[in-house]
Amino acid sequence: MEIMATRKLYTVIIFSENIVGLLNQITIIFTRRGLNIETLSVSPSAIKGIHKFTITTFADEDMIDKVVKQIDKRVDILKAYYNTDEDLVYQEIALYKLSTELFIKMGTVEELIRKYNARILEMNETCVVLEKSGHYDETQALFNELSDTIGVLQFIRSGRIAITKSKVERLSDMLAEMERKLALKKEE
């Protein structure tokens, strides 16, 4: 019971080139440590040719530190870090498919849209698709309200997307330091 109390949500950010099979290698590291991946998002980073993996998992700090160090040792990984929510600006995106007939019968559509800061992506004679970006609790609250009132036909939530609150991407600092050291070696 005490172990569960020290577990919290960590966001692991990994930088690498886009290499086939790398995601599998990364997920195996989590699996071997008995950590469940809560969310996963992969996209190009701000640095050309470099991809950014954003993974969330519940762990204690000692375990997440070991996982990140193990990931960081892989040849194909440029750098891996872990962060807490306090270190990041992050969001998720959720889509909700609803019956147009029931949605219109709600009568409080405008109020609902304003309350959750959602937007209508598609509306036709059979369905309405709403989009809501925010933190998990916010997207879940809208899901719960819609489920309790008119029902949700389909629902999907993205993985977390996150950037650090620091001025630049940590990888940029690391790459600049590597270039500086390389330049110094060339001068010698």
Side-chain angles (χ1 to χ4, degrees), residues 9 11 39 41 54 56 85 88 90-92 158-162:
L9 186 67
T11 301
T39 66
S41 176
T54 307
T56 61
D85 288 353
L88 302 169
Y90 60 93
Q91 293 285 290
E92 295 178 351
S158 72
R160 174 179 282 194
I161 53 172

Side-chain angles (χ1 to χ4, degrees), residues 68-82:
V68 168
K69 284 178 179 170
Q70 190 174 358
I71 291 169
D72 215 20
K73 287 180 187 175
R74 303 218 43 92
V75 173
D76 299 332
I77 301 296
L78 296 171
K79 195 66 187 158
Y81 304 97
Y82 68 90

Side-chain angles (χ1 to χ4, degrees), residues 12-18 22 26 43-47 50-54 71-72 74-81 83 162 164 169-172 174-175:
V12 178
I13 298 176
I14 304 164
F15 294 95
S16 96
E17 294 179 51
N18 192 13
L22 185 59
I26 292 168
S43 69
S45 73
I47 302 166
I50 306 299
H51 275 63
K52 182 177 182 177
F53 296 71
T54 307
I71 291 169
D72 215 20
R74 303 218 43 92
V75 173
D76 299 332
I77 301 296
L78 296 171
K79 195 66 187 158
Y81 304 97
N83 300 278
T164 61
E169 196 83 79
R170 285 194 233 172
L171 183 62
S172 300
M174 187 196 85
L175 292 174

Side-chain angles (χ1 to χ4, degrees), residues 73-129:
K73 287 180 187 175
R74 303 218 43 92
V75 173
D76 299 332
I77 301 296
L78 296 171
K79 195 66 187 158
Y81 304 97
Y82 68 90
N83 300 278
T84 61
D85 288 353
E86 294 79 25
D87 304 325
L88 302 169
V89 175
Y90 60 93
Q91 293 285 290
E92 295 178 351
I93 298 172
L95 300 179
Y96 312 79
K97 184 177 183 181
L98 314 164
S99 160
T100 301
E101 180 183 348
L102 296 175
F103 185 68
I104 292 170
K105 284 182 182 177
M106 273 180 64
T108 58
V109 172
E110 184 179 350
E111 184 180 310
L112 179 83
I113 299 295
R114 288 180 190 272
K115 176 181 176 182
Y116 288 101
N117 197 24
R119 66 186 196 124
I120 298 173
L121 290 182
E122 170 80 19
M123 187 169 192
N124 59 44
E125 58 212 26
T126 59
C127 71
V128 175
V129 177

